[in-house]
Amino acid sequence: MAEKVLVVGSGGREHALAWKLAQSPQIQQVLVAPGNAGTANCGKISNSEVSVSNHAILAQFCKDHHVGLVVVGPEVPLAAGIVDDLTAAGVPCFGPSAKAAQLEASKSFSKAFMERHGIPTARYGSFTDPQEACDYIRTADFPALVVKASGLAAGKGVIVAADRDEACRAVMDIMKDRAFGSAGETVVVEEFLEGEEVSCLCFSDGSSVSPMPPAQDHKRLQDGDLGPNTGGMGAYCPTPQVSEEMLQQIRETVLQKTVDGMREEGAPYVGVLYAGLMLTKQGPKVLEFNCRFGDPECQVLLSLLKSDLYDVLLNTMSGKLASSALVWHPHRHAVTVVMASAGYPGSYQKGVEITGLSQVQDTGLMVFHAGTALKEGSVVSSGGRVLTVTAVGPSLETALQEANRGVAAVGFPGAVYRRDIGHRAIAHLKQHRLTYKDSGVDIAAGNKLVDMIKPLAKATSRTGCNAELGGFAGLFDLKAAGFVDPILVSGTDGVGTKLKIAQACGQHGSLGQDLVAMCVNDVLAQGAEPLFFLDYFSCGSLDVDVAASVVGGIAKACELAGCALLGGETAEMPGVYAPGEYDLAGFCVGAVERGALLPRLGDIAEGDLLIGVSSSGVHSNGFSLVRKVLERADISYSSPAPFGESGQTVGEVLLTPTKIYSRLLLPILRSGAVKAYAHITGGGLLENIPRVLPQELAVDLDASRWSAPPVFSWLLKEGGLSEDEMARTFNCGLGAVLVVSPLDAQRVLRQIQAHEEAWIVGSVAHKQPGAEPVVVRNLKHSLLSTGLVASGDLVVEQNGGCHGDGSRPHKRTRVAVLISGTGTNLQALIEQAKRPSSCAEIVVVISNRPGVQGLKRASLAGIQTRVVDHKLYGSRAEFDGTIDRVLEEFGVELVCLAGFMRILTGTFVQKWNGKLLNIHPSLLPSFKGVNAQKQALQAGVRVTGCTVHFVAEEVDAGAIVVQEAVPVLGSDTEESLSDRIREAEHRAFPAALELVAGGALRLGEDGHIAWRSDPQS
């Protein structure tokens, strides 16, 4: 369901926030309070007159108008505790708490905080007595010339004095003459720092930070950085003065340290953190912190943000920044120019009419309003900084030219603006000599990678080769390796779009084995021993850690295969690949004695048998189809896998590495018993086996003779794939197929089975004219019969009871979920019910508390919600009766209690007996009631877990449907144990839901579980 969002504020920053939020397809309406002329009735955006200073009124407004999120722009309401008050009232609000906002609200606190946590900043003193401040200024052994009002002063409470006398006068102006009111009751006197000033902002979820591109504000009124200080006359982004290395340094020494320090001091920082920095000769030093977006930095930053801002804010508030990287428009620059009223920053005239705005926007520029209002249908000025014109271009110069052209087209009599925004960056770029690194190729990073992988390659040395990297070419001595009359065999391959899954999951190490296996297993098909391997790694920008992980996996796989990693190529090609993307290719060279070359086509005869060797899963072919099936099933890589081992995600199962068969099969191939070996790679069973057969022969395979990993059953059913499509695309459980005579078959089978699963899967027959060379019988039946998907000790039949054979769709069970809070178990149930194979349909979510996160989860999933607030009822019976009426209204057949924190009456439980499921965080009957995790730790048990059970009148005493065990670690705290049990709950509850909704089990009349042998009967 589309969301309503309220943005608090009236400036250009707030217009930019509303503009970016309105681009989200998840947003229905953006309200801005109080807003300006630019946010009045502009598409999804409109203004609201609700009071933002009275937080109680604002909270009630949000509830009455179904506002799902409040985004606070300026610092004053943040310091006043708007986030704390709205959150307490059940209204989600983006921004730091009042305690965390002290970083901006109190410069005295901020400086002391930086000192406590070793964050680089200027030397300083904090004073409440003006005379003491002046004494400090005159006696400091450094230029103590920066005087700041400690409190909030609308960005104007800083005086940079030319000498000590001027600094002392500033102290007196602030403290005695109260130039900034109560904000100046405490002053901070700082060391004057020299260097370039930049703004580095980040999103923080309380533990992780996600930096934004560095920006630079222009405080002085006039070109050339002349004139009085202002709130900001323009900004640009990114700043070339801040290199990637420096930004990483700022991230570690300033941003992350600050977030870590705030968390340690009991004030987790959640929101946007702004660090104003001076780039000194000693490194970056903090000038100030702000607790929100800067204005006008916000305008340029959001113009370059590619990600959905609404998603970013939700991920920040829910602690998911580390797993959801922000995406920025690459190779783009943004410039914003502020147009101010004549006389600003002093007194100025209001009500000046502004024209030409629509024509400027028609050119593709953005005009963000600040001090504007509507008067008789016209836009007029109402403040000092009136509007900003923002342009995005391929270079800073281009963006500045476009912004200046836009400013010139605005009809605003007497407007004051600068024409040189970004002049420092342009001068820096002209002075900076171009290097190869500037083009995007980092030779130093490449050298670092080589140094990291040299010892890994060295470990793969074998007879005939020492695997020393660094030469122009690699050498291999065939004679030293024992070959007499060898034929060289080469193979090359990649890993296909399995790359996409690894990159999406951030798991790169297993790809190395995939790459080596695909090449080595091909070479093996000629009977050859793999001798050496070469890899090719290409990317747009080299991430040394990622590349080292991939190549490290290649080196380990070479050891498994018995070949040397002799060399490779790392190609950094800016502009060819998107950020975070890379490609892989591998090359293997092997050798085989002339008389042992495979396949031996002349020896293969009708009646020969086929031995199939098990695969580990999909291996490295067919992933484009796999990804399409996942997309249609609306399943993400991070979802619990409906196939594979307990606790595995979809991504983890799919990234299971390809098996390498060389060490297993080489001795068998050399024995002469094998006439042909087919690697089941791209083309599946149907296209690879014929590659090793004489044209007059065919093979008959019986799929009932081997076991396929559950992923193939799931793909067949979820994708609605035909048998032919399965057999032509996937290995279907067989990674290799050997052709042997009937006399040798059992001996060869036993040799393989000593190390690997293998089966006799078919035979060779004469090929009839026009017949297919490969026939696979019983494939669909065999895969469907393995449709029981293991999840630890749980077994859930994915299609039983709801769809049967797909020809007779059955009615889904109508389910209600009762919640009280965040709804993480609810989310697991929602994801299960989304699956086409699910037996359940969640028709309503009921909460006894308004405004909880679980209600939002339901709304986003398109599920109807109801709030039955227990505080409004005089008795439990009256409360339960209302819930019962809601359940009847929606025709509910099964109720799941997912974190529902109310005890239901006996009357209610009796009525819904056998239709109420609850989940409890222990292995019942142990540790009933509250604090189950704490009870488990106190009891010293080594295993606990979770239990899904039918609800009985006695608490936690109903018949058990599903349990999943969780080991108790020696290092466990109550929190860490709870986290792991919660993960188990997210698997167990959906499994139990399917068992009950699908009719696989029910609550018997004796209060025990009654299983049905055929849920469809």
Side-chain angles (χ1 to χ4, degrees):
M1 193 173 85
E3 193 73 272
K4 281 187 183 180
V5 176
L6 173 70
V7 176
V8 173
S10 61
R13 166 183 51 217
E14 288 72 40
H15 188 180
L17 285 166
W19 165 78
K20 190 64 181 177
L21 285 166
Q23 294 173 14
S24 172
Q26 302 173 73
I27 299 293
Q28 172 193 10
Q29 184 182 16
V30 182
L31 301 172
V32 188
N36 53 46
T39 55
N41 301 317
C42 179
K44 291 183 182 180
I45 307 170
S46 58
N47 289 339
S48 170
E49 295 182 359
V50 63
S51 169
V52 296
S53 58
N54 188 316
H55 300 168
I57 291 175
L58 180 60
Q60 191 58 50
F61 172 88
C62 291
K63 293 177 181 178
D64 292 343
H65 293 81
H66 308 291
V67 172
L69 177 66
V70 175
V71 181
V72 185
E75 65 276 14
V76 172
L78 291 168
I82 188 172
V83 173
D84 309 72
D85 293 342
L86 292 186
T87 302
V91 177
C93 186
F94 179 82
S97 65
K99 193 173 180 182
Q102 288 181 97
L103 281 174
E104 178 174 7
S106 171
K107 292 179 176 61
S108 178
F109 168 85
S110 177
K111 296 295 288 191
F113 173 86
M114 285 186 272
E115 190 172 47
R116 286 195 299 275
H117 294 279
I119 296 167
T121 187
R123 291 173 283 184
Y124 80 104
S126 181
F127 306 95
T128 55
D129 182 287
Q131 192 55 53
E132 289 181 8
C134 289
D135 291 344
Y136 181 81
I137 290 168
R138 297 193 186 282
T139 58
D141 58 358
F142 54 85
L145 301 177
V146 180
V147 181
K148 297 180 177 180
S150 180
L152 295 175
K156 300 170 186 174
V158 179
I159 293 93
V160 180
D163 53 40
R164 288 185 170 91
D165 290 339
E166 185 181 342
C168 287
R169 286 197 297 275
V171 168
M172 296 302 174
D173 288 343
I174 294 173
M175 302 193 78
K176 284 197 167 184
D177 297 340
R178 298 180 65 79
F180 302 112
S182 60
E185 290 175 358
T186 299
V187 297
V188 172
V189 179
E190 284 185 2
E191 172 187 13
F192 174 76
L193 299 177
E194 293 186 78
E196 191 89 32
E197 191 172 341
V198 296
S199 305
C200 287
L201 290 80
C202 70
F203 291 98
S204 167
D205 61 9
S207 57
S208 301
V209 297
S210 183
M212 305 181 207
Q216 188 174 59
D217 186 11
H218 293 62
K219 290 293 188 186
R220 298 283 187 173
L221 181 69
Q222 299 165 1
D223 286 353
D225 292 326
L226 301 175
N229 265 338
T230 69
M233 293 301 293
Y236 68 93
C237 177
T239 57
Q241 301 93 316
V242 179
S243 65
E244 286 186 21
E245 291 82 2
M246 185 181 292
L247 185 58
Q248 182 62 26
Q249 178 188 353
I250 292 167
R251 175 180 184 153
E252 293 171 359
T253 64
V254 175
L255 302 176
Q256 189 64 57
K257 264 193 173 183
T258 301
V259 171
D260 290 344
M262 292 300 286
R263 187 176 67 253
E264 290 168 12
E265 296 193 8
Y269 195 100
V270 178
V272 171
L273 177 64
Y274 172 131
L277 302 164
M278 186 70 81
L279 306 182
T280 73
K281 291 179 180 179
Q282 294 77 38
K285 293 188 177 183
V286 178
L287 296 174
E288 65 174 353
F289 284 121
N290 291 332
C291 59
R292 34 71 194 183
F293 273 109
D295 188 345
E297 290 97 336
C298 182
Q299 290 88 311
V300 289
L301 286 165
L302 294 186
S303 296
L304 296 181
L305 179 62
K306 192 173 183 180
S307 298
D308 185 322
L309 178 61
Y310 181 65
D311 283 339
V312 174
L313 301 186
L314 292 185
N315 287 332
T316 301
M317 295 170 68
S318 60
K320 296 180 180 177
L321 270 184
S323 59
S324 52
L326 271 68
V327 180
W328 301 87
H329 287 288
H331 316 300
R332 306 294 285 173
H333 300 257
V335 172
T336 192
V337 178
V338 173
M339 301 186 74
S341 298
Y344 175 79
S347 59
Y348 49 82
Q349 181 185 351
K350 297 182 181 180
V352 176
E353 186 175 352
I354 303 166
T355 59
L357 297 177
S358 59
Q359 291 89 329
V360 173
Q361 289 177 305
D362 288 343
T363 66
L365 302 177
M366 270 308 303
V367 178
F368 295 115
H369 291 235
T372 63
L374 291 175
K375 183 178 180 182
E376 299 175 358
S378 298
V379 176
V380 299
S381 65
S382 64
R385 292 192 295 170
V386 177
L387 50 85
T388 64
V389 178
T390 305
V392 176
S395 69
L396 180 59
E397 293 93 334
T398 303
L400 177 58
Q401 289 170 6
E402 289 300 312
N404 284 341
R405 189 176 295 119
V407 167
V410 174
F412 182 10
V416 177
Y417 55 88
R418 289 181 60 160
R419 298 166 180 80
D420 67 342
I421 302 301
H423 70 96
R424 291 179 181 272
I426 294 170
H428 173 83
L429 291 170
K430 288 179 179 177
Q431 292 173 2
H432 183 64
R433 293 184 179 179
L434 200 62
T435 66
Y436 202 6
K437 187 174 181 180
D438 292 327
S439 70
V441 180
D442 191 340
I443 294 175
N447 291 338
K448 181 181 178 183
L449 175 63
V450 171
D451 290 340
M452 291 173 71
I453 63 179
K454 271 185 177 181
L456 303 176
K458 180 69 174 174
T460 68
S461 295
R462 52 156 292 164
T463 305
C465 168
N466 63 9
E468 288 279 2
L469 300 185
F472 287 102
L475 305 176
F476 193 95
D477 188 338
L478 284 168
K479 190 173 182 181
F483 287 93
V484 178
D485 184 20
I487 292 176
L488 292 179
V489 180
S490 66
T492 182
D493 211 334
V495 298
T497 56
K498 193 171 187 177
L499 279 167
K500 288 281 191 182
I501 299 176
Q503 290 161 6
C505 297
Q507 299 177 24
H508 311 280
S510 62
L511 290 179
Q513 180 167 328
D514 290 310
L515 187 66
V516 172
M518 296 303 289
C519 299
V520 164
N521 292 343
D522 277 353
V523 166
L524 200 61
Q526 307 298 148
E529 175 187 353
L531 303 177
F532 60 86
F533 190 85
L534 302 159
D535 70 271
Y536 177 81
F537 181 96
S538 56
C539 58
S541 178
L542 181 61
D543 184 320
V544 173
D545 292 334
V546 170
S549 177
V550 173
V551 179
I554 291 171
K556 289 178 183 176
C558 284
E559 289 188 73
L560 289 175
C563 62
L565 179 55
L566 197 55
E569 165 70 3
T570 302
E572 194 171 14
M573 298 184 285
V576 176
Y577 297 94
E581 290 188 353
Y582 57 85
D583 201 1
L584 284 177
F587 309 86
C588 181
V589 174
V592 57
E593 295 292 354
R594 192 176 303 272
L597 192 64
L598 290 180
R600 301 200 310 270
L601 296 177
D603 292 346
I604 301 174
E606 189 174 354
D608 282 343
L609 298 180
L610 304 179
I611 294 177
V613 186
S614 67
S615 70
S616 59
V618 184
H619 279 185
S620 299
N621 298 105
F623 274 95
S624 294
L625 180 54
V626 171
R627 290 164 55 230
K628 180 58 71 173
V629 174
L630 288 172
E631 179 185 321
R632 285 192 176 181
D634 194 22
I635 294 178
S636 69
Y637 299 131
S638 60
S639 299
F643 41 78
E645 297 297 325
S646 170
Q648 286 187 298
T649 64
V650 169
E652 287 169 343
V653 176
L654 294 178
L655 289 175
T656 302
T658 308
K659 286 184 177 178
I660 298 174
Y661 297 115
S662 53
R663 289 193 185 273
L664 169 68
L665 294 183
L666 260 177
I668 299 171
L669 299 184
R670 285 172 174 163
S671 73
V674 176
K675 300 179 180 183
Y677 155 74
H679 176 205
I680 310 305
T681 178
L685 296 167
L686 300 187
E687 295 189 6
N688 285 291
I689 298 176
R691 296 165 72 177
V692 300
L693 293 178
Q695 289 188 354
E696 69 274 12
L697 296 178
V699 299
D700 184 300
L701 296 175
D702 184 352
S704 67
R705 296 185 177 183
W706 75 83
S707 298
V711 63
F712 295 111
S713 169
W714 184 85
L715 286 167
L716 174 73
K717 288 181 282 192
E718 286 292 336
L721 305 179
S722 67
E723 286 184 286
D724 187 71
E725 195 67 33
M726 289 293 297
R728 194 176 301 282
T729 306
F730 301 116
N731 64 60
C732 296
L734 301 181
V737 172
L738 312 183
V739 181
V740 297
S741 72
L743 292 175
D744 293 323
Q746 288 301 323
R747 176 173 56 86
V748 171
L749 183 64
R750 284 194 300 272
Q751 286 178 288
I752 298 172
Q753 286 177 335
H755 306 281
E756 191 68 75
E757 277 194 297
W759 312 266
I760 293 176
V761 296
S763 60
V764 177
H766 180 72
K767 181 175 177 288
Q768 299 296 327
E772 295 295 333
V774 178
V775 174
V776 185
R777 293 181 290 109
N778 298 318
L779 181 60
K780 182 176 181 180
H781 174 79
S782 179
L783 292 179
L784 288 177
S785 69
T786 59
L788 292 176
V789 181
S791 177
D793 294 328
L794 310 177
V795 178
V796 182
E797 187 169 349
Q798 293 297 301
N799 276 353
C802 298
H803 300 283
D805 61 2
S807 62
R808 296 181 292 107
H810 288 219
K811 182 178 76 70
R812 290 188 176 201
T813 299
R814 296 174 67 82
V815 177
V817 184
L818 274 56
I819 65 169
S820 296
T822 57
T824 56
N825 270 320
L826 166 65
Q827 188 64 44
L829 295 175
I830 288 173
E831 290 177 5
Q832 176 66 30
K834 279 183 182 177
R835 296 176 180 167
S837 60
S838 176
C839 300
E841 178 188 8
I842 300 176
V843 295
V844 65
V845 172
I846 305 172
S847 173
N848 68 304
R849 294 172 56 206
V852 296
Q853 182 69 20
L855 292 172
K856 185 179 294 184
R857 293 180 190 271
S859 296
L860 288 173
I863 300 169
Q864 293 203 54
T865 62
R866 293 288 187 272
V867 175
V868 182
D869 191 340
H870 63 278
K871 296 177 183 177
L872 304 179
Y873 295 87
S875 68
R876 284 171 53 199
E878 184 182 356
F879 170 75
D880 287 3
T882 303
I883 289 182
D884 184 63
R885 285 192 293 276
V886 175
L887 298 177
E888 295 287 357
E889 174 191 344
F890 283 88
V892 170
E893 299 166 287
L894 179 65
V895 181
C896 294
L897 308 183
F900 185 64
M901 306 304 291
R902 305 297 298 170
I903 296 175
L904 297 166
T905 59
T907 303
F908 185 97
V909 172
Q910 288 169 13
K911 175 175 180 179
W912 290 89
N913 185 44
K915 300 176 183 179
L916 275 173
L917 288 179
N918 183 46
I919 190 158
H920 183 74
S922 77
L923 294 176
L924 292 174
S926 298
F927 313 127
K928 295 181 179 181
V930 297
N931 301 320
Q933 301 91 334
K934 185 176 181 180
Q935 291 182 58
L937 290 171
Q938 289 174 342
V941 297
R942 302 270 44 93
V943 176
T944 183
C946 64
T947 302
V948 185
H949 62 95
F950 283 107
V951 176
E953 290 188 55
E954 182 183 346
V955 174
D956 299 331
I960 293 171
V961 179
V962 165
Q963 290 186 308
E964 182 165 344
V966 174
V968 180
L969 307 179
S971 59
D972 263 337
T973 62
E974 190 174 343
E975 182 180 2
S976 64
L977 181 58
S978 297
D979 288 343
R980 294 207 317 286
I981 292 174
R982 194 174 298 113
E983 291 174 4
E985 289 177 349
H986 297 169
R987 295 185 294 271
F989 215 169
L993 173 66
E994 293 297 335
L995 289 171
V996 178
L1001 62 80
R1002 59 184 174 81
L1003 184 64
E1005 293 180 2
D1006 60 355
H1008 294 94
I1009 297 296
W1011 290 87
R1012 293 173 64 182
S1013 59
D1014 180 8
Q1016 296 175 52
S1017 62

